[in-house]
């Protein structure tokens, strides 16, 4: 059994952690109806492990060096490498508003991502004041680390930058998904407030 399988089993068998991941962090192991038929451009299959409320899906790739990389594919046609394994991916998911950080990345500029992450962290704390406690609960239950946001941004940027050529997501017709990096540096209407 791989460490990914062990983590997924632990989530399945710990209802309060399953609920926190689903409700606060958008990682729902019961939502697997989106993303069927997606694969890597190489033709390699993807194993869907979770979904999120906006229709995106998380996938495990084939094992490499005893690790199974994690790919994310959005319902809007963006996809790519999120992390080198599920533990790394979950640390990013619980510690960073990762999707918006990528959306407001200026095309993958790590400095822009660091600024976006700071703004997103303040906003997230305002709307969910318990988020740090919830992240700590998930981390403790799954033996994950609470990693500083600045380090998570570096890890996320490095992973997403390695999407091509091995982790390009394609649909059933072979159409490649767009990269996870967005071109914007801040929200269009009003910027960061």
């Amino acid at each position: 059994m791989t460490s990914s399988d062990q983590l997924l089993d632990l989530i399945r068998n710990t209802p309060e952690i399953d609920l926190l991941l689903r409700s606060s962090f958008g990682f729902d192991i019961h939502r697997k109806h989106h993303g069927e038929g997606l694969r890597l451009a190489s033709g390699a299959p993807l194993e869907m492990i979770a979904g999120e409320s906006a229709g995106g899906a998380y996938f495990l790739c084939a094992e490499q060096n005893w690790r199974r990389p994690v790919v994310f594919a959005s319902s809007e046609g963006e996809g790519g490498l999120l992390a080198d394994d599920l533990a790394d991916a979950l640390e990013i998911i619980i510690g960073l508003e990762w999707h918006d950080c990528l959306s407001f990345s200026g095309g993958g500029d790590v400095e822009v991502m660091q600024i976006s992450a700071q703004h997103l962290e303040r906003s997230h704390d305002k709307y969910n004041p318990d988020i740090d406690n919830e992240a700590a609960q998930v981390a403790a239950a799954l033996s994950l680390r609470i990693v500083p946001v600045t380090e998570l941004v570096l890890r996320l940027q490095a992973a997403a930058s390695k999407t091509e050529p091995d982790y390009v997501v394609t649909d059933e017709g072979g159409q490649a998904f767009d990269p996870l990096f967005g071109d914007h540096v801040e929200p269009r209407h009003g910027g960061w407030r």
Side-chain angles (χ1 to χ4, degrees):
M1 182 180 283
T2 69
S3 61
S4 297
D5 293 332
Q6 291 167 337
L7 275 171
L8 291 169
D9 283 347
L10 193 51
I11 293 166
R12 268 190 284 283
N13 295 321
T14 315
E16 59 275 9
I17 298 305
D18 179 11
L19 178 61
L20 280 177
L21 281 168
R22 184 175 351 135
S23 61
S24 294
F25 301 105
F27 186 86
D28 185 350
I29 62 170
H30 307 285
R31 185 184 288 263
K32 294 185 186 178
H33 52 276
H34 295 293
E36 293 175 11
L38 299 183
R39 47 192 327 102
L40 295 178
S42 66
L46 294 168
E47 178 188 342
M48 189 181 315
I49 55 170
E52 46 99 38
S53 61
Y58 297 90
F59 300 89
L60 287 176
C61 301
E63 187 174 307
Q64 298 175 2
N65 301 320
W66 301 281
R67 299 175 91 178
R68 294 192 67 190
V70 176
V71 167
F72 178 80
S74 78
S75 60
E76 292 84 34
E78 302 159 338
L81 185 64
L82 181 60
D84 290 332
D85 65 22
L86 184 56
D88 285 351
L90 287 168
E91 287 176 355
I92 289 169
I93 290 165
I94 67 170
L96 179 65
E97 287 289 315
W98 70 269
H99 197 269
D100 286 338
C101 187
L102 287 170
S103 294
F104 303 114
S105 69
D109 183 310
V110 74
E111 290 178 24
V112 172
M113 291 176 70
Q114 292 289 4
I115 293 166
S116 294
Q118 291 170 11
H119 288 288
L120 290 162
E121 187 175 26
R122 281 194 297 274
S123 174
H124 203 208
D125 288 346
K126 184 168 85 174
Y127 293 108
N128 185 352
D130 291 332
I131 196 72
D132 291 337
N133 291 333
E134 293 171 349
Q137 280 182 274
V138 171
L142 301 180
S143 299
L144 303 173
R145 297 177 303 134
I146 296 294
V147 179
V149 168
T150 54
E151 182 182 330
L152 292 174
V153 169
L154 293 174
R155 286 169 47 184
L156 178 62
Q157 195 272 348
S161 294
K162 293 190 303 186
T163 293
E164 289 188 31
D166 297 328
Y167 300 102
V168 174
V169 178
T170 62
D171 63 18
E172 291 177 7
Q175 179 70 36
F177 276 43
D178 292 330
L180 290 172
F181 293 124
D183 293 328
H184 301 289
V185 296
E186 61 184 27
R188 291 182 197 177
H189 304 289
W192 296 117
R193 296 175 189 221

